[in-house]
Amino acid sequence: MTTPDVGPAVRVLLVDDEPLIRSGFRFILGLDPSIEIVGEASDGGAAIELVRAHRPDVVLMDVRMPGMDGPDATAVIVAESTSRVLAMTSLDAEGQLLRMLLAGATGYLLKDESPARITEAVHRTALGESVFSAHSAAQLVRRAVESEHGQGRQAAVERISALTDRERDVAVRVASGETNHEIGAALHISAGTVKTHLEQVFAKLAVRNRVQVGVILERAGLGPADV
């Protein structure tokens, strides 16, 4: 489904084991003519098959499902396709949510968000932006790294050593939850230049999202609380 004004629609796959949740998201997103629902799945295994068949732009993926869960399905989808995964979660699924973000999900969305926020999140995800609460994401990262008791520190330090000084400045501010515009203002560069630096950070650190950048910096002792 396309319109002359908005160009090609954002193609979305809905994944949740609750039919009521899927129908609610289908209704909300169906109100936007620039979004097309290309399929629905009730578990991770079915989601992978539908991604292979339809190549959606965005996969709205539940975190906890019977059979193959969201994190395992996300890892396969990220490895096999260019589809971007946006986690759908509730506040009591913190551990599983972090697994999804580390598997390559670009962000997360609470299931009880407003319709406008849900639609905005889908469009932002399709554009390659990260969608999450910077504060809560930083808390997730810190708790996860603290539970590792120093494991992975040396490897993280080595990966960060590949960054230029400016790329490292950008990475540290990304880990603090700053937007591209906020980083640009602080470093006196344009948001477009920040985006270019961030692409290099992602490539050199071999990560897919801002949360993964935060994990590596936190492991290396360069997280927001350490610098």
Side-chain angles (χ1 to χ4, degrees):
M1 177 178 177
T2 60
T3 68
D5 295 327
V6 298
V10 176
R11 304 173 75 252
V12 177
L13 174 67
L14 300 176
V15 187
D16 197 291
D17 62 311
E18 292 288 344
L20 186 60
I21 297 293
R22 296 200 308 271
S23 65
F25 274 79
R26 183 173 64 248
F27 175 77
I28 291 170
L29 297 177
L31 297 174
D32 188 330
S34 63
I35 294 177
E36 176 187 2
I37 306 300
V38 299
E40 298 181 26
S42 60
D43 62 74
I48 291 169
E49 293 304 315
L50 287 174
V51 168
R52 290 169 177 164
H54 298 292
R55 298 294 176 178
D57 301 304
V58 177
V59 180
L60 277 175
M61 178 81 75
D62 189 16
V63 173
R64 296 186 295 198
M65 294 177 288
M68 180 180 282
D69 63 10
D72 288 342
T74 295
V76 175
I77 289 169
V78 168
E80 290 189 0
S81 75
T82 58
S83 299
R84 297 185 174 96
V85 178
L86 179 62
M88 295 191 294
T89 187
S90 54
L91 289 173
D92 62 346
E94 180 180 287
Q96 293 287 78
L97 173 58
L98 183 61
R99 283 182 59 215
M100 281 195 70
L101 294 170
L102 295 179
T106 60
Y108 67 86
L109 183 69
L110 294 179
K111 292 183 180 181
D112 59 356
E113 296 276 9
S114 69
R117 168 67 173 165
I118 292 169
T119 301
E120 177 196 19
V122 168
H123 281 293
R124 287 180 58 191
T125 300
L127 292 172
E129 298 180 21
S130 296
V131 178
F132 51 75
S133 164
H135 176 66
S136 59
Q139 288 182 328
L140 282 173
V141 167
R142 189 165 297 112
R143 280 195 285 269
V145 173
E146 286 174 351
S147 70
E148 296 175 349
H149 303 295
Q151 296 180 16
R153 182 182 181 92
Q154 184 58 41
V157 170
E158 291 174 0
R159 291 168 77 176
I160 290 172
S161 69
L163 302 179
T164 65
D165 289 344
R166 180 47 57 91
E167 289 166 355
R168 176 169 156 166
D169 290 342
V170 169
V172 168
R173 290 183 177 277
V174 163
S176 300
E178 295 183 17
T179 66
N180 287 4
H181 287 286
E182 289 170 338
I183 295 170
L187 299 180
H188 307 291
I189 56 179
S190 70
T193 300
V194 172
K195 182 179 179 182
T196 299
H197 286 310
L198 188 54
E199 289 171 351
Q200 289 299 310
V201 170
F202 281 10
K204 290 181 178 181
L205 298 183
V207 299
R208 291 284 296 265
N209 61 45
R210 291 172 180 246
V211 170
Q212 292 172 322
V213 172
V215 167
I216 292 175
L217 265 71
E218 193 75 30
R219 283 173 178 161
L222 295 172
D226 305 300
V227 296

